[in-house]
Each structure stands twice: as C-alpha cells, then as structure tokens.
Amino acid sequence: MAIVSFLISLAGATMLLLFAVRMVRTGIERSYGASFQRVMTGQRSYLQASMVGLSMAIVLQSSAAVALLTSGFAAGGMLAFPAGLAMVLGGDLGSALIIQILSFKLDWLVPLLLAIGGYLFVKTESKKPRQLGRILMGVAFILISLRFLREAMDPIRDSAFLPAIADYLARDYITAFLVGGALAFVMHSSVAAILMCVTLVQIGAIPFAAGLSLVLGANFGSAFIPVWLTRGMDLSARRIPFANLALRGSWAVITLFAATTALRAGVLGDLQGGQMLVNAHLAFNASLLVLALPFCGRLSAPFERLLPDPKVSETAVQPGRPASALDMRNIGSPSQALSSLKRELLRMSDLVESMFRPSLELYRSGDKEQIRAVRDIDVEVNECLSGVRKFVAAIPAEDFGKQNAKVARDLMEYAIRLETAGDVVAKRLTVLATSMRKNGASFSKEGWAELVEMHEGILANLKLASNVLISDDLESARLLSLEKTEIKRAERDSRKRHLKRLQHGSTESFETSDIHLETLRALREFNSHIAAVAYPILYRNGQLLETRLIEEMPRTQKGSDTEVKG
C-alpha cells in the first residue's frame, strides 16, 4: 500500500511541476512573445547569440522552447544556422541557471507569490498585469510541487524498496543515464526532470553518483525533445536540433564515463548533496558552450550534407505558395467541404502574413521591389477570395443543412476580412512607406518603438487567429478578442503620447505626424479584420453581445411624471 501511495503522490507532484513550468512559460509568451522574433533574429556574433539564448531560456523556463523558436526562424530564413546553434547552446546553459535558482529553499516565498499573483490575475483587466500574475503563481506552484515531491519520498525513504533501486542505479550508471534520458523526454521538460533528480539527492533518497548519471542522461534526453517536436518542419529547421543533439549527446556520454571513473577512483572526493549536483549540471552546460561555440560555423556544411534541401523540379509549386485547397469538381461531404475551406483560409492567412511581416521595414528601406512583391501577393489573396466565393456558392444548401451552410458563410465572411486586411497593407501601409522615404522623414525613437510593439502584437495575433480557425477553441477565441482590445488600447495610448510629443515641440514628430497617426489607424484596422475569426465562436457560445447599447433606457423622474399625468 505504501508503494501505491508513493506512486500516486509522485505522479501528482510531477504533474503539478509540469503544469507550473508551462504556466510560467505561457504567461511570458502572452506578455512578451511578440518581441521574441526581433530579439532572436538580429545580426550578432556567436557570443551575443548565445547570451540571447541564455536569456530567453531563463525567461521561458525551457531550453526546448528556445530550440523550437530558433528552428522556426531558421526555417523562415530569418536566422542562420551558426547563430541559431549558438542560441540553442546558450539556452541549455540558461535552463541550468533556472535550476540553480529553483534549487534554493524558497518555501517562504510561496504565500507572497500566491497572494500577489492571484490578485493580479483575478482583479486586474490589463493584459500584462494579468500575465504577470500568471507567472508569479506559476513560480509558486513550482515551489509547492517540489515540496510535495520531497514529502512523497518520506514514507518509503526507510523502506527496502527505494534503497534497493538507489543502490542499483549507483552501480549501473549506464542504466541510470538511460533512465534520466527517458525521464526528460517523457516529461518534455529538462527543468522538471532535473529538479526531480536534485530533490531526490537532497533528501538522501538516492546517492550523488546515481543522481549525476540521471542528470547527465536528462541532459541527453532533453536534446531529443526539439528533434521530436520539429519532425514535421522543413529540413532547414531540423538541422539546428540535430546539431545540438550531436554535441550535447557526445559531451554527455564523455562526461558520464569520465565522471564515473573519477568518482569510483576517489579523485573527486566524497561529493554529496543536491547543491553539488546542481553545480555539476551547471558546469556541464557551461563547458559545452565554451567548447562548442567556436565550431558553430564549421558545423553548418556537415549538417547541410547530412540533411540536404530537397530538390525542387521546375514544374513544382513555388515554395511557400501551396496550391489552392478548393476543388470545384469535388465539393464532397459537408465535413470535407468545410475542411477544404479552412485549409484555403489558412493559405490566405499565410499570404496576408507574408505581406504584413515586412510592412514596417518598408518605412525604413522604401525598397520598390519589395513593395511590388507585397502588392503581387495581394493579387493572390484576391484570387483566393474569388475561389472561396465560387466554392461556397456551389455548395448544395439542401444537402448541407442549415448549420453547415451557416459555418460555410462565416468562413466566407472571414475570407472577405482577410482580403480587406491584405488591402490595408497593399493600398495603405505601402503607400505610407513610399511617402515616408520620398520625403526622407523618420519617426522619433519613441514613436518607432510604439509602432514596432503594435506590429509585433499583431503578428502574434495572426498566429493565434490561425489556431482559432483550425481548432474552434472557445478559450483561444476569447484570448484573441482580448488581444484585439489590447491593440486598440495600444493605438489609443500611442496616439496620446504622439500628441504630447507634438506639444513638447519634437521636430521628428511634427514631420511624420500624419503618417504616424494614419499608420496607427491602419494597424488597428488590420488587427480588427484578423480577430474577426473569433466572433462566430463567441456568438455561438453566448460569449459576445449583439450590441453594447443599453436596450432599456431608465425612465427619468420628469418622464415618469408626464406619463402619470397623461
């Protein structure tokens, strides 16, 4: 019975730990996720890239998240292989620093974090304070889960079960290494897996030697996580995780044999305690970064040969421009037709994103070729809308039923919104960018930062809108609607700050006042069109009102007296 109770308690503590790590990461991504691309894709040296990766891992509480972001940017051509690999190596060291911080006994912080975090999350309406509350509560839950983990070990610490396993793992370091690797991969979190190993050593449940083998295995296993998660991406995206796996795996195996030999020979002395294990984990990642960083550029060619780009025939569809998902000759069943419509809308959304992404850069470069390319994509978006209209018109209403026909109409409405959003970019933002460069004007530093922040937020909303389109998830739809309000608030605040700069006589603000205000309006309108995908889901679930007007006006005292007299 003690074993069953132990396993249940262990499972509960582990799930709470995983949930808490995810809670912190999602809170940070929702608050600052839109800025990640700008931070991670800037031109920099290998050392600077590794420091960015280290910082991002600390912020996101996950080196795997850094590897995934890096792979995505590499796939989009926004990040070179050497800088991406340096960033991932820095991310691994960043996750080790997280464990160093969380390994200290901070139980006294739990009530304070819960009180402040709970208040911010429940009582505030603004986005960033709410997400800060989520982050603080997530950190508190991490500390609580570690306490639960320690308490779960108490009943069996003196039993014959745990010491037998601990002795076996201490003797068979290869098995311990494999167990650590499997643990990290199954948990999909190196931070959670290594914190568990450190806790086991801290309470004396397993000896230091077994803990070291488990931690080295967890380092190896964590390198498999981004390899697994990027398996469906382009080969250009998968090279960085595979290179990280090769470097991390080789160094983990070398360190395992060297450390085990040294421990058995007594060269390292009698190492004990969880803090020493954390130091060993930190030293492993720091040494890997120092040794591997100079070779990041040289590894590019071998991994390009190992994972070469597929050859594309001349008749193949242009990369990034998939063919239409609509087949007028075979509409199919209602579910097939709606799936085809959603795929076509995703294609439209990708095209609109490819137009919108470089829009602010055009304000600085004024590149005529890039402006022409943006407008050419708008022609494709218009053709997509024409195809959607024809497809919906060809749907046999009598066979589809009212509900499916309504969903098809809602999807066509969103296609119209996407086409209008494309027009905002092609016919307004590009015109403003051309005017900006023609006049040789430039925004003030503050004004440009405000526009960049709005642009990044809208890019994040584009991704969220695509998820809502595919999943029909109510919570994501609510979040997208809230993000629309945040963009509206950002536009209003930027307008107020701009007017204050004018009052203080800022020359740059005077020169670009009309363009700045018109850009703000265009960005807000673009975002409104993108967020429209959430409306049908919110209406369907009773989460959105038809009107914000008060339907029944309260009668005034004078009006009441008149009615009585009448």
Side-chain angles (χ1 to χ4, degrees), residues 62-64 95 99 184 188-195 218-219 222 225 248:
S62 172
S63 58
S95 70
I99 294 165
H188 265 44
S189 171
S190 60
V191 172
I194 294 170
L195 278 174
N219 276 280
S222 67
I225 298 172
R248 200 169 181 74

Side-chain angles (χ1 to χ4, degrees), residues 1 6 78 81 139 214 320 417 450 509 540 564:
M1 190 63 188
F6 160 71
M78 293 177 280
F81 174 91
V139 173
L214 286 169
R417 289 279 204 159
E450 291 161 9
S509 297
R540 199 160 55 239
V564 170

Side-chain angles (χ1 to χ4, degrees), residues 58 74 131 164 180 209 229 247 304 346 375 410 413 446 474 550:
I58 293 175
Q131 297 308 322
L229 294 177
L247 291 171
E304 284 180 4
L346 276 179
R375 291 172 177 168
D410 288 339
E413 288 288 340
E446 297 83 0
L474 176 60
I550 298 174

Side-chain angles (χ1 to χ4, degrees), residues 212-332:
L212 181 60
S213 299
L214 286 169
V215 165
L216 290 172
N219 276 280
F220 185 34
S222 67
F224 277 99
I225 298 172
V227 170
W228 173 257
L229 294 177
T230 58
R231 64 191 183 281
M233 291 187 179
D234 294 338
L235 290 177
S236 58
R238 302 180 67 193
R239 289 178 192 136
I240 293 174
F242 270 104
N244 181 55
L245 174 62
L247 291 171
R248 200 169 181 74
S250 302
W251 189 234
V253 171
I254 292 170
T255 306
L256 174 70
F257 284 103
T260 303
T261 302
L263 282 172
R264 291 183 174 179
V267 175
L268 300 177
D270 186 21
L271 299 179
Q272 299 290 335
Q275 188 55 50
M276 186 60 69
L277 187 59
V278 173
N279 294 339
H281 173 58
L282 195 59
F284 169 83
N285 285 280
S287 59
L288 175 61
L289 178 63
V290 170
L291 292 172
L293 201 59
F295 299 97
C296 287
R298 299 179 187 179
L299 290 172
S300 180
F303 279 92
E304 284 180 4
R305 289 194 296 269
L306 181 65
L307 297 169
D309 291 320
K311 294 181 179 179
V312 182
S313 64
E314 294 181 0
T315 58
V317 177
Q318 184 182 0
R321 298 285 186 272
S324 174
L326 304 179
D327 186 357
M328 300 296 298
R329 296 165 299 178
N330 182 24
I331 294 177

Side-chain angles (χ1 to χ4, degrees), residues 110-122 129 132-134 136-137:
V110 171
L112 184 63
L113 292 172
L114 288 174
I116 298 174
Y119 177 82
L120 290 174
F121 188 76
V122 174
L132 176 59
R134 180 191 293 271
L136 294 177
M137 291 179 70

